[in-house]
Amino acid sequence: PCCVLYTKTTEEGAVWVELCRTECIDDEHNPKFSKQLVVMYNEAVQQLVSFRVYDLDYGKPDLIDKNSLGQLETTLRMIAKSGSSTLETPLIWKGKSSGAIKVQLEKLEESKTVVDMQLSCTKIDFKDGSWTGEPDPYFKILRMSMGNIWTQVYLSETLYDTKDPTWKPFKLSEVDLCNCDQQRALKIEVFDWNKKSQHSMIGEAFTTLEDLLRKADLQLVNPKKPKQKSYGVLHTLSIVVSERQ
C-alpha cells in the first residue's frame, strides 16, 4: 500500500489535487509509513485534505479506483484539535469501512541540517527457520512524537544470511530524524525478514542523536523475551551532521 495526500480549496467547483505521497510498502496489511507528508498549516484557513490509500502492486503508480483501499476526508484543523494532534478513524470506501488510518500532526522546525549515518550489527543471537539458520536482518529507526507515540522515520534494506550485517549508508534530515532536538528519544528496532510469515523481532535499543554522535555501542534487547540478555550489538560506523547545500 501507499498513502496519497490530496488537498482542495473551499471554492465552488474546486477539485482534489495530489500534494505528496508516502513510500509504497510491499505485502503489508498493517503498514507504518516512514515518509512524512509535509503541508503548510494555516490555522485561520479551512484546509481540506484527503488521505487515500492505494494498493500499488509491483510499484505501478496507477491511482485508479480498482486499486483503492479506502480514504479519509477531513481538515487539518480537525486533526490539530484532536487532543494529542492524532486522529484515528476508519478508512471508507464505497460507503463502508475498509480498515483504519491513524494520522499524526506535528509542527516541524525549519532547518537545513542533514545527518549522514551508517550502522552495523555484530553477534546477532537469533536463528530463523531457513535451511541456513542465519537471520536476514533489517532495521527501523523511530522517534518519539507528540502524545508519546513512536513514529517510524527510516527503514533499511534487508541483508540476507548474516549475523554481522553492515547496512548501506543513509541520509536523513535532522527535522525527519528528531525535529532538530538532539535529545529526543529514538528507538532502533532490528528484525529478521521472513518471506512467508510475520517478520520476527531480534531486538531493540533506545538512544538519541546526541548519543549516536558519541558512537557508543548499543545492546539489542528483546522486550518479548523473559531474559533481558543481549541479542546483538549495534554500532554507529559513521555519523556526520552538516548543512544541506
Side-chain angles (χ1 to χ4, degrees), residues 66-90:
K66 72 175 184 178
N67 292 335
S68 178
L69 299 175
Q71 64 185 42
L72 162 67
E73 292 186 7
T74 184
T75 65
L76 289 180
R77 184 185 301 168
M78 182 173 293
I79 301 173
K81 293 186 176 181
S82 58
S84 62
S85 294
T86 300
L87 179 65
E88 187 169 3
T89 187

Side-chain angles (χ1 to χ4, degrees), residues 9-68:
T9 68
T10 55
E11 297 177 358
E12 185 176 353
V15 297
W16 290 106
V17 177
E18 179 181 339
L19 179 65
C20 50
R21 64 176 70 182
T22 68
E23 75 279 18
C24 186
I25 299 178
D26 294 334
D27 303 324
E28 178 58 63
H29 290 281
N30 300 289
K32 294 182 180 180
F33 302 108
S34 58
K35 181 181 178 182
Q36 298 184 96
L37 304 178
V38 180
V39 58
M40 297 296 294
Y41 175 51
N42 186 342
E43 188 175 3
V45 177
Q46 185 84 324
Q47 293 174 274
L48 303 175
V49 291
S50 176
F51 297 89
R52 304 181 186 182
V53 181
Y54 294 90
D55 179 19
L56 303 184
D57 287 333
Y58 308 109
K60 295 180 180 179
D62 300 328
L63 302 182
I64 55 180
D65 283 352
K66 72 175 184 178
N67 292 335
S68 178

